Amino acid sequence: MEPKQLIAKAVEARKLSYSPYSHFAVGAALLCKDGSVFVGANIENSSYPLCMCAERNAIYNAYLNGKKKEDLVAMALSADTDEPCSPCGACRQVLSELFPKDAPIYMSNLKGEVKETNIEELLPFAFSEDALK
Ligand code: THU
């Protein structure tokens, strides 16, 4: 699947966002080796700290459908931002453990702008399980 198609799926998933508090809808789509795609959107709550981001919902969705880190090949996210939407710190931490470190992450916005990166670039010196040994 081309990056453009994965980004289109993130834009589509964004429509599933439940964001009555921030009015900031985010969509994410995660591509697997077998061609399957798992999506996520941000889901908010009146108890604000319980809000869940699109990227974490997408990766948890993949894992809950039996996928593992080695099955994942790319992720796209999109929001109505001036610059391509960048994943928050909490999502970076989760991706650093559950998503391959050099797999492409396509940050995008509704203007069609795209920035390609990866989790190693987004979160250098990540806290990891190594510290717990
Ligand atoms: N949000 C995401 O879904 N992903 C990000 O990477 C940034 C923030 C959501 C959380 C909240 O529902 C809304 O956007 C405003 O912060």
Side-chain angles (χ1 to χ4, degrees), residues 17-19 21-28 41-45 48 51-57 77-79 85-92:
S17 166
Y18 173 74
S19 41
Y21 306 105
S22 71
H23 304 288
F24 184 75
V26 186
N42 56 324
I43 305 291
E44 299 186 342
N45 193 276
Y48 296 164
C51 295
M52 182 51 69
C53 292
E55 301 90 315
R56 273 178 286 162
N57 274 333
L77 68 136
S78 197
C85 186
S86 180
C88 81
C91 289
R92 291 177 193 209

Side-chain angles (χ1 to χ4, degrees), residues 105-117:
I105 296 175
Y106 303 106
M107 308 186 294
S108 71
N109 60 19
L110 299 188
K111 295 185 279 183
E113 295 169 338
V114 180
K115 232 184 240 170
E116 181 180 339
T117 184

Side-chain angles (χ1 to χ4, degrees), residues 45-133:
N45 193 276
S46 52
S47 176
Y48 296 164
L50 302 183
C51 295
M52 182 51 69
C53 292
E55 301 90 315
R56 273 178 286 162
N57 274 333
I59 199 154
Y60 295 154
N61 186 8
Y63 272 69
L64 288 168
N65 279 278
K67 301 301 179 195
K68 298 271 179 281
K69 195 184 216 174
E70 57 271 20
D71 301 319
L72 310 177
V73 297
M75 175 181 258
L77 68 136
S78 197
D80 191 8
T81 42
D82 286 342
E83 297 292 319
C85 186
S86 180
C88 81
C91 289
R92 291 177 193 209
Q93 177 63 29
V94 168
L95 290 170
S96 76
E97 182 154 341
L98 301 181
F99 191 70
K101 65 177 188 316
D102 50 358
I105 296 175
Y106 303 106
M107 308 186 294
S108 71
N109 60 19
L110 299 188
K111 295 185 279 183
E113 295 169 338
V114 180
K115 232 184 240 170
E116 181 180 339
T117 184
N118 59 53
I119 195 59
E120 208 160 42
E121 253 176 30
L122 288 172
L123 189 63
F125 307 106
F127 181 81
S128 79
E129 59 178 7
D130 297 342
L132 303 177
K133 284 176 188 153

